[in-house]
Amino acid sequence: MRRISQRFGALRVRIGSTGTALAVAAATVPVLALGLGAAPAYAAPLPGGLGPCVPGSCPNPFPGVNNGPFAGRDNAINVFVGDDFLVRGRAAEAEGRVVVLDDFDQQKEAGASSLYNLGIAGVGSRVPPPAGADFLTTGGNLTVAPGQRLDLTGGVLETPGVARYAGTESGTVDGRLVHDQGAARPYVGLRDELTAASQCYARVGGSSRPATGTAVNEGGQTVFRGNGRSPIQVFNVDFDLTAPGGGPQGLVFENIPDDATVLVNILGANRTVNTYSGGIDDSTDPLNALRERLLWNIPDATSVRLQGIGQMQGSFLIGDQASMTTVTMAGVNGRFFTTGSLTHTSIEGGGGGQEFHAYPFDGDLPDCSGPGPVTGEVRVLKTDADTGETLPGAEFELWRESNGIRGLQTGGTTPDTRVTDCVTAADGRCAVTTTSGTYYWRETAAPAGYELPDPAVFGPLVLTEGNAGRGVQVEARDIAVPGPDNHGSIHLTKTDRTDDSPLPGAVFETWRETNGIAGLQTTGVNPDIRFGPGCSTDEDGRCDFTDLPLGDYYLLETAVPEGFARPENPVFGPYAVTAANSSTGVEVELSNERREPCKGKNC
């Protein structure tokens, strides 16, 4: 049952609440929060029932890291990944149930062990999921590189774990494979819930959650000093947990009450933890004693690096859905929940054996049962510019405006934030549910038979509390690659208006009318489409724009020859390229006025 905890000093009293008992009806159904009345602010669990061991045979207590017989079974999610889970380098295993909303991709480095264990670890808590349960669930593709193997059996071949996947499957998987297009559907909502919880744990009313203790990086170690009395010990860290130069350091906790929950909020856009603390033997390092009530919360970082030779203790929550977390720690002992992507790998040129070990999180956290951040759909609709038919197979990136500079910046020192990738489905749509903000869709590859638009950026799309219910959408139109019978040309002659002589050096762009709005629009949410490269008039004053699909076009004059004035309105057209004129082309004559030389004392 969902519990409410009250603490008085070191005394902990558990009060059962009324309601339906928590249970797992099937391996594909997550344990959901029961929707009971709001718990006190100091006694709330993680969202969705995540954290504790799910019966029925949970050991009490969980054993330390070992390679003995199974100590029990735990059907809770131990690793949750909101985007892609990438196994690289010499990483070894992930114990417990693993849920991935997008792709699981195993491509370990050459020369490493070809094996990655999942569900059952050779060395760990030795509390795997129930026999025959879903060890791995993925909402995308399940890919294991040739010559490698994903093992969901732990050597117990008569009751293998299940790999349930929604997309495609390739490679060698020891276990039972189940193709299920709705595999990840029960877990999709957890992503936004975890993002909201991560923000709530870190902030109250837009300001950092009040700390109950201090965290000081002393170089060789970071010391967390509690106040000795609060049932939730809160620490706010705005620095990397590393030694000078980025090397490993120790992690020390002092003055923490017995049975208190420890919440460490690691704030900042990019964060690294590099430690030698934590041990295989629970008696060798005091950090191990905090394992099942310690949460490392990283709400903002889009790049997270977890490094070191230690057996890291405690659970992790990474709240930014655009994040990539790279884990090269020897061991992570606790739940691991990221709303972004995860790379499990080893240090370059170094040893392997990196492991996730399954341990519960039983702490009580700040109550985040109130309204979370506003979320809604940000969509792009891909269509044929001529017919309006929807187009599958267009590849897009969704970017969030984050650097305060107008327009989309994808490179440089301060780019905007890439949220995710998407390929349009049969209905021509990509849709992403995300928090309120300003977004851009960037088309990176057109469907077969179509040309990539120029510009290929669509937006800004502004998702607000007012429109989140219906979402925001932009239509992106692609032009078919010209064929022999469906294209024409425009032939431009540019002259000097004074004497009708040919005028070289005038530069034009060709834009196709695609958005159904009168006149040329080159920017905004739904611009027309630029077609082909620019053209500079030659010595005869000519520019030829060829291979134009049938349609209406504008010529935009972007530069004029030396000594001539740019027109007040540099847009000309529209000019209709039709089947009737496709063989001869459309002839256009334009002229420029000379710019009078400057005279007088102000020249």
Side-chain angles (χ1 to χ4, degrees):
M1 299 174 67
R2 177 177 173 183
R3 55 176 173 68
I4 298 175
S5 301
Q6 293 179 337
R7 294 190 179 94
F8 301 90
L11 177 65
R12 186 176 192 177
V13 182
R14 293 190 180 272
I15 305 173
S17 61
T18 60
T20 307
L22 290 178
V24 178
T28 58
V29 180
V31 182
L32 301 178
L34 299 180
L36 304 176
Y42 51 83
L46 283 161
L50 296 172
C53 177
V54 173
S57 58
C58 297
N60 186 20
F62 264 63
V65 175
N66 70 97
N67 63 351
F70 292 162
R73 298 279 187 169
D74 177 8
N75 203 30
I77 297 171
N78 191 60
V79 177
F80 175 88
V81 181
D83 201 348
D84 298 329
F85 188 160
L86 310 178
V87 177
R88 298 291 187 263
R90 297 172 177 266
E93 55 194 18
E95 190 176 34
R97 283 189 62 204
V98 175
V99 172
V100 184
L101 295 191
D102 205 345
D103 296 337
F104 179 92
D105 186 289
Q106 177 181 328
Q107 296 186 55
K108 299 176 69 174
E109 70 181 42
S113 167
S114 63
L115 178 66
Y116 190 80
N117 293 313
L118 191 148
I120 300 174
V123 176
S125 68
R126 299 293 284 168
V127 184
D134 285 4
F135 284 17
L136 172 64
T137 302
T138 175
N141 301 329
L142 169 55
T143 304
V144 179
Q148 299 186 18
R149 184 160 55 95
L150 177 64
D151 188 357
L152 281 68
T153 72
V156 187
L157 299 177
E158 65 272 16
T159 53
V162 173
R164 189 176 299 272
Y165 63 97
T168 61
E169 180 272 327
S170 62
T172 301
V173 178
D174 293 342
R176 189 162 69 90
L177 291 167
V178 176
H179 183 240
D180 178 358
Q181 291 183 336
R185 192 173 299 131
Y187 312 102
V188 170
L190 287 175
R191 193 184 195 201
D192 286 343
E193 290 182 42
L194 288 169
T195 293
S198 182
Q199 286 292 328
C200 172
Y201 298 154
R203 296 180 177 87
V204 179
S207 300
S208 294
R209 180 170 292 279
T212 62
T214 61
V216 179
N217 191 327
E218 298 179 350
Q221 62 183 18
T222 290
V223 179
F224 299 85
R225 293 184 175 90
N227 65 7
R229 60 182 184 277
S230 298
I232 301 180
Q233 295 285 304
V234 179
F235 300 93
N236 296 324
V237 176
D238 60 358
F239 49 82
D240 289 338
L241 299 179
T242 66
Q249 65 168 201
L251 302 175
V252 177
F253 287 84
E254 299 177 350
N255 208 25
I256 305 296
D258 293 344
D259 216 19
T261 297
V262 178
L263 171 61
V264 180
N265 294 313
I266 304 177
L267 309 174
N270 299 286
R271 281 291 170 246
T272 298
V273 178
N274 190 352
T275 185
Y276 53 77
S277 287
I280 291 289
D281 185 348
D282 283 352
S283 66
T284 62
D285 194 316
L287 182 64
N288 288 38
L290 298 176
R291 178 170 55 222
E292 293 171 30
R293 49 197 174 91
L294 169 59
L295 180 66
W296 304 92
N297 178 42
I298 307 177
D300 309 318
T302 55
S303 174
V304 180
R305 303 192 67 85
L306 305 179
Q307 306 170 340
I309 60 174
Q311 288 288 324
M312 188 64 173
Q313 304 293 314
S315 295
F316 280 88
L317 173 57
I318 293 95
D320 194 301
Q321 297 183 11
S323 63
M324 170 59 81
T325 301
T326 302
V327 178
T328 59
M329 282 176 167
V332 176
N333 298 271
R335 305 301 194 204
F336 196 93
F337 306 135
T338 174
T339 64
S341 291
L342 169 64
T343 299
H344 195 202
T345 185
S346 54
I347 60 173
E348 187 174 354
Q354 284 70 23
E355 303 173 1
F356 288 104
H357 298 149
Y359 284 95
F361 175 78
D362 290 325
D364 290 330
L365 292 162
D367 186 6
C368 295
S369 59
V374 174
T375 61
E377 278 194 345
V378 179
R379 301 182 296 271
V380 61
L381 173 63
K382 172 56 65 177
T383 60
D384 184 299
D386 288 321
T387 66
E389 294 180 357
T390 57
L391 298 177
E395 298 179 17
F396 282 90
E397 297 171 344
L398 181 64
W399 290 75
R400 181 170 64 232
E401 173 61 62
S402 60
N403 64 0
I405 303 171
R406 184 175 180 179
L408 174 62
Q409 291 80 44
T410 62
T413 57
T414 58
D416 292 308
T417 300
R418 187 163 71 96
V419 178
T420 190
D421 301 327
C422 183
V423 179
T424 55
D427 64 358
R429 283 181 169 83
C430 280
V432 175
T433 299
T434 185
T435 53
S436 58
T438 299
Y439 295 88
Y440 302 89
W441 286 103
R442 177 176 178 245
E443 188 172 357
T444 56
Y450 287 82
E451 297 189 351
L452 191 67
D454 183 9
V457 175
F458 303 89
L461 293 166
V462 182
L463 185 68
T464 66
E465 182 176 359
N467 62 27
R470 61 182 182 275
V472 289
Q473 178 172 304
V474 63
E475 184 174 354
R477 299 173 176 87
D478 277 5
I479 298 172
V481 175
D485 300 321
N486 63 354
H487 68 282
S489 56
I490 297 175
H491 306 290
L492 167 67
T493 301
K494 188 70 165 178
T495 60
D496 182 334
R497 189 171 299 176
T498 301
D499 58 11
D500 290 329
S501 61
L503 190 57
V507 181
F508 286 86
E509 294 175 349
T510 318
W511 288 76
R512 188 177 186 192
E513 173 58 64
T514 57
N515 64 4
I517 303 171
L520 173 61
Q521 291 81 42
T522 63
T523 60
V525 174
N526 192 15
D528 293 309
I529 294 177
R530 182 180 171 185
F531 191 88
C535 178
S536 178
T537 55
D538 61 18
E539 292 300 319
D540 296 323
R542 297 280 289 183
C543 265
D544 293 316
F545 305 95
T546 58
D547 289 331
L548 302 178
L550 305 184
D552 291 339
Y553 292 86
Y554 300 93
L555 298 180
L556 174 62
E557 191 167 5
T558 60
V560 296
E562 181 82 23
F564 286 82
R566 189 172 185 235
E568 183 176 343
N569 181 3
V571 178
F572 303 93
Y575 304 109
V577 176
T578 66
N581 62 35
S582 62
S583 60
T584 59
V586 178
E587 293 289 340
V588 176
E589 295 184 6
L590 301 173
S591 61
N592 283 118
E593 290 184 345
R594 295 181 183 178
R595 185 170 57 236
E596 290 295 327
C598 183
K599 301 177 182 180
K601 63 181 180 180
N602 293 325
C603 291

